[in-house]
């Protein structure tokens, strides 16, 4: 009886601890609301949208860049604008991580949106929320899906280059590694495939796909590889930063050609093509390649889920006056 009671007690304690963890992890998400600024800054969303629309109209590539900023922010410490912090005495910027260095861009657009919002509502709207709204508005600006952005995040007071280099996906990641990375953040394989569909727009640098177009003969369309070699010489570092569109067919339109490309073995990055390479996500790619409405719907759902990754709420963190530095 004693042993049985002891086991039951330990089991109850363990269950209680798991329940507490679940409550704590979901409490912050519950505090996020699409109406968070309705009273404190009712024109915030319109102001952000205006800044983002102008930036994308000047350069269509900026849409992909802004969505990538939100993604790279949320995958490190959660959606807390830690990515935006510059180096300082107390900060080693995540911008220095090799997944961001020389490729993460659009920071000046976020800075401008923040400055415009500060003019009407100083100290109210977080940089983390501006990143989240900017990603949605960037998608809409290139005819992509829209979704309801939950708001109320606060800004981090620390950043971690080391964590960024450890946690951010890499262009050489295997399917299992990608599934694991996304799963660690509560995102399913379906979310992984849907979010990867953002690569229907944007560009990649030669060094990220050189090995694939020269050495990956069995899993790449030969004509596609030949075409991509024209702007990406085999001998590094020649042409390392030369750009190529992730979707060669409609590089500036948010559509579903990305998935058609994967089915035809025309994914530019290795981490793209592994989504359709005889693995567990092949069926999802096939579905999206023939059902654009399903992809658009799932993309919005996945973006909302990603925006829920470990936000700072309540009194945690701060509301930065400028996004690049602590108050």
């Amino acid at each position: 009886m004693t042993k049985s009671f002891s086991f039951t007690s330990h089991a109850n304690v363990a269950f209680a601890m798991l329940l507490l963890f679940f409550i704590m992890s979901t409490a912050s998400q519950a505090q996020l609301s699409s109406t968070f600024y309705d009273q404190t800054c009712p024109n915030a969303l319109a102001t952000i949208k205006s800044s983002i629309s102008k930036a994308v109209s000047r350069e269509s590539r900026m849409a992909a860049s802004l969505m990538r900023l939100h993604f790279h922010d949320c995958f490190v410490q959660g959606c807390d604008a830690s990515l935006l912090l510059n180096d300082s005495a107390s900060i080693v910027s995540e911008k220095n991580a090799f997944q961001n260095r020389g490729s993460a861009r659009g920071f000046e657009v976020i800075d401008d949106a923040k400055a415009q919002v500060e003019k009407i509502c100083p100290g109210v709207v977080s940089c983390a929320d501006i990143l989240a709204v900017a990603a949605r508005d960037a998608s809409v600006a290139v005819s992509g899906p829209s979704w309801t952005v939950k708001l109320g995040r606060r800004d981090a007071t620390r950043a971690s280059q080391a964590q960024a280099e450890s946690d951010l996906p890499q262009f050489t990641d295997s399917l299992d590694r990608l599934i694991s990375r996304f799963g660690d953040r509560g995102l399913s394989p379906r979310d992984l495939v849907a979010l990867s569909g953002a690569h229907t727009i944007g560009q990649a640098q030669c060094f990220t796909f050189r090995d694939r177009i020269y050495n990956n003969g069995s899993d790449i369309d030969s004509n596609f590889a030949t075409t991509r070699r024209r702007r990406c010489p085999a001998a590094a570092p020649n042409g390392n930063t030369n750009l190529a569109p992730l979707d060669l067919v409609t590089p500036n339109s948010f559509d579903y050609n990305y998935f058609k490309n994967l089915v035809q073995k025309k994914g530019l990055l290795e981490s793209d093509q592994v989504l359709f390479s005889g693995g567990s996500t092949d069926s999802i790619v096939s579905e999206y390649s023939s059902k654009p409405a399903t992809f658009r719907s799932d993309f919005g759902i996945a973006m909302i889920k990603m925006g829920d990754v470990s936000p700072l709420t309540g009194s945690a963190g701060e509301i930065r006056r400028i996004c690049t530095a602590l108050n």
Side-chain angles (χ1 to χ4, degrees):
M1 287 292 291
T2 303
K3 289 182 179 179
S4 176
F5 177 78
S6 175
F7 174 80
T8 303
S9 298
H10 284 303
N12 287 340
V13 170
F15 175 77
M17 291 177 67
L18 284 171
L19 182 61
L20 179 61
F21 174 79
F22 174 78
I23 292 171
M24 291 176 65
S25 65
T26 56
S28 61
Q29 296 177 17
Q31 293 179 40
L32 298 182
S33 165
S34 62
T35 61
F36 189 84
Y37 297 115
D38 280 8
Q39 302 302 317
T40 55
C41 193
N43 293 320
L45 297 188
T47 302
I48 297 168
K49 182 177 182 179
S50 177
S51 287
I52 302 309
S53 297
K54 289 176 183 176
V56 175
S57 67
R58 288 193 299 267
E59 182 195 12
S60 58
R61 181 189 172 199
M62 187 56 67
S65 299
L66 293 173
M67 282 190 272
R68 186 170 184 255
L69 285 185
H70 182 42
F71 175 82
H72 279 219
D73 179 47
C74 289
F75 261 60
V76 184
Q77 299 184 177
C79 307
D80 61 1
S82 59
L83 171 61
L84 304 182
L85 289 169
N86 286 340
D87 283 326
S88 69
S90 61
I91 298 293
V92 178
S93 178
E94 293 169 17
K95 296 176 184 179
N96 299 322
F98 64 82
Q99 295 98 320
N100 293 323
R101 187 172 57 246
S103 62
R105 60 193 299 275
F107 297 107
E108 73 284 355
V109 176
I110 301 299
D111 291 341
D112 177 69
K114 172 65 168 174
Q116 298 307 314
V117 172
E118 284 293 298
K119 289 179 182 178
I120 60 171
C121 308
V124 174
V125 181
S126 69
C127 299
D129 277 345
I130 290 175
L131 275 174
V133 174
R136 188 269 312 276
D137 292 346
S139 172
V140 172
V142 289
S143 302
S146 184
W147 56 92
T148 300
V149 179
K150 292 192 280 186
L151 304 163
R153 302 169 191 81
R154 289 169 64 85
D155 298 325
T157 54
R158 64 185 184 89
S160 176
Q161 177 185 341
Q163 189 173 342
E165 293 185 340
S166 170
D167 291 357
L168 287 172
Q170 301 181 35
F171 58 85
T172 55
D173 277 350
S174 66
L175 178 59
D176 286 345
R177 187 74 184 98
L178 288 170
I179 289 173
S180 175
R181 288 188 192 277
F182 279 69
D184 288 345
R185 286 149 190 84
L187 298 168
S188 69
R190 192 172 186 87
D191 296 326
L192 158 64
V193 178
L195 291 171
S196 296
H199 282 182
T200 188
I201 56 174
Q203 303 189 57
Q205 297 182 51
C206 166
F207 78 90
T208 64
F209 59 86
R210 177 182 280 119
D211 284 348
R212 172 159 165 72
I213 62 174
Y214 285 101
N215 303 318
N216 201 356
S218 65
D219 205 30
I220 188 169
D221 178 86
S222 58
N223 291 329
F224 174 76
T226 299
T227 299
R228 294 314 185 108
R229 289 170 185 164
R230 293 171 188 163
R231 290 269 302 151
C232 186
N238 296 329
N240 264 7
T241 59
N242 288 357
L243 294 171
L246 289 159
D247 173 9
L248 196 59
V249 182
T250 54
N252 297 316
S253 296
F254 197 108
D255 53 30
Y256 65 115
N257 273 328
Y258 168 81
F259 299 106
K260 290 183 176 180
N261 294 338
L262 296 186
V263 171
Q264 296 168 11
K265 296 188 176 183
K266 295 179 181 179
L268 184 60
L269 303 179
E270 185 178 338
S271 55
D272 288 326
Q273 194 60 56
V274 295
L275 300 178
F276 190 87
S277 190
S280 60
T281 55
D282 280 18
S283 60
I284 306 171
V285 171
S286 294
E287 181 182 1
Y288 290 162
S289 73
S290 62
K291 297 180 179 178
T294 301
F295 162 56
R296 291 173 69 92
S297 175
D298 284 0
F299 183 82
I301 292 169
M303 287 295 288
I304 293 171
K305 287 179 66 176
M306 187 180 75
D308 279 344
V309 175
S310 303
L312 298 173
T313 58
S315 60
E318 64 181 17
I319 305 297
R320 288 184 219 141
R321 290 189 291 272
I322 59 172
C323 292
T324 56
L326 302 179
N327 292 341

